[in-house]
Amino acid sequence: EAGVAQSPRYKIIEKRQSVAFWCNPISGHATLYWYQQILGQGPKLLIQFQNNGVVDDSQLPKDRFSAERLKGVDSTLKIQPAKLEDSAVYLCASSPQPAGVPYNEQFFGPGTRLTVL
Amino acid sequence: AQSVAQPEDQVNVAEGNPLTVKCTYSVSGNPYLFWYVQYPNRGLQFLLKYITGDNLVKGSYGFEAEFNKSQTSFHLKKPSALVSDSALYFCAVRGLTPSGTYKYIFGTGTRLKVLA
């Protein structure tokens, strides 16, 4: 079974530029998550989708971050414009169970390491 | 508010010795607890979870975790450590938010170093 795919793996941009990350979850997984992992910290949930609907985006900085999952499969996360403090690893995860199931484990992609100069 | 604490930034253990990585939590309602492992330049991998029932949960790669409700702890254990167990370990709790959704809260991680 193929895992969660993410691209690019690394990205270096200057502040105020825009960047987009792509995620392809495991086939058939209904729930998709985007996390931000700053060095030395645990992952922080940015947004959670079930199929193509947003379940939770309470911690997404909506003035600069946006995400979509148009056909309920692939997802993109965009930052526009980027700030220095956005430097982090952005992790995508998926889960086969619906978002309302509390005990579902997540399957993570390798992440995209963003450096903002 | 929900929270997870991993009090040790790093744990060092000799190969062959037992290991423990500590985790305490705070959540309203029933706790759903997880351990994940992260190897360099890779995403997190699920190890085990506690939902209900037996307080001792067995997971991948010989790891197990003990749920202790009175101490609100969920420590990760392994009877005999391997050098290949060296990695970053995250404890997570999934609890119900005021908005009615379930959210993962991760700890800050504990780096396990197994010495040959």
Side-chain angles (χ1 to χ4, degrees):
Chain A
E1 176 182 77
V4 176
Q6 290 188 247
S7 68
R9 292 295 310 275
Y10 305 91
K11 190 73 177 179
I12 300 174
I13 61 173
E14 303 210 340
K15 60 182 179 183
R16 291 188 291 272
Q17 285 187 322
S18 302
V19 65
F21 312 128
W22 173 82
C23 172
N24 183 242
I26 293 173
S27 178
H29 280 197
T31 310
L32 184 147
Y33 309 80
W34 281 103
Y35 288 89
Q36 181 192 58
Q37 186 178 16
I38 293 174
L39 188 64
Q41 299 181 18
K44 183 186 86 170
L45 179 69
L46 292 175
I47 190 167
Q48 178 180 343
F49 292 93
Q50 180 168 330
N51 298 314
N52 60 351
V54 175
V55 174
D56 186 344
D57 63 356
S58 57
Q59 296 190 100
L60 186 74
K62 298 181 186 66
D63 58 334
R64 298 184 300 106
F65 286 64
S66 65
E68 60 184 12
R69 193 184 184 199
L70 289 176
K71 296 183 179 179
V73 181
D74 294 7
S75 178
T76 56
L77 176 70
K78 296 179 182 178
I79 307 175
Q80 180 179 12
K83 293 185 175 182
L84 296 177
E85 59 262 34
D86 298 332
S87 293
V89 175
Y90 290 85
L91 295 166
C92 179
S94 68
S95 175
Q97 293 97 344
V101 173
Y103 47 81
N104 53 332
E105 62 264 31
Q106 300 179 351
F107 298 81
F108 283 82
T112 297
R113 183 177 298 276
L114 173 68
T115 302
V116 182
L117 303 177
Chain B
Q2 300 168 114
S3 65
V4 173
Q6 293 182 245
E8 303 152 318
D9 290 336
Q10 181 160 321
V11 170
N12 295 328
V13 63
E15 187 175 30
N17 282 2
L19 69 87
T20 299
V21 182
K22 296 179 181 177
C23 172
T24 59
Y25 67 91
S26 173
V27 66
S28 52
N30 293 325
Y32 301 97
L33 298 157
F34 303 79
W35 277 102
Y36 286 82
V37 60
Q38 188 174 34
Y39 297 101
N41 298 316
R42 297 180 66 178
L44 281 69
Q45 294 178 35
F46 169 74
L47 277 180
L48 50 79
K49 65 183 175 185
Y50 172 82
I51 303 172
T52 186
D54 195 347
N55 289 342
L56 186 64
V57 179
K58 294 190 183 295
S60 306
Y61 312 121
F63 283 93
E64 56 191 27
E66 187 169 11
F67 171 67
N68 188 316
K69 187 173 183 178
S70 63
Q71 296 185 5
T72 61
S73 67
F74 189 55
H75 300 332
L76 181 70
K77 300 182 180 185
K78 187 173 183 181
S80 178
L82 300 172
V83 172
S84 57
D85 293 330
S86 298
L88 189 57
Y89 290 81
F90 288 97
C91 180
V93 64
R94 198 147 195 247
L96 191 60
T97 69
S99 60
T101 60
Y102 283 98
K103 181 179 292 184
Y104 266 90
I105 304 295
F106 284 87
T108 52
T110 298
R111 187 165 300 282
L112 174 67
K113 194 168 184 179
V114 181
L115 307 168

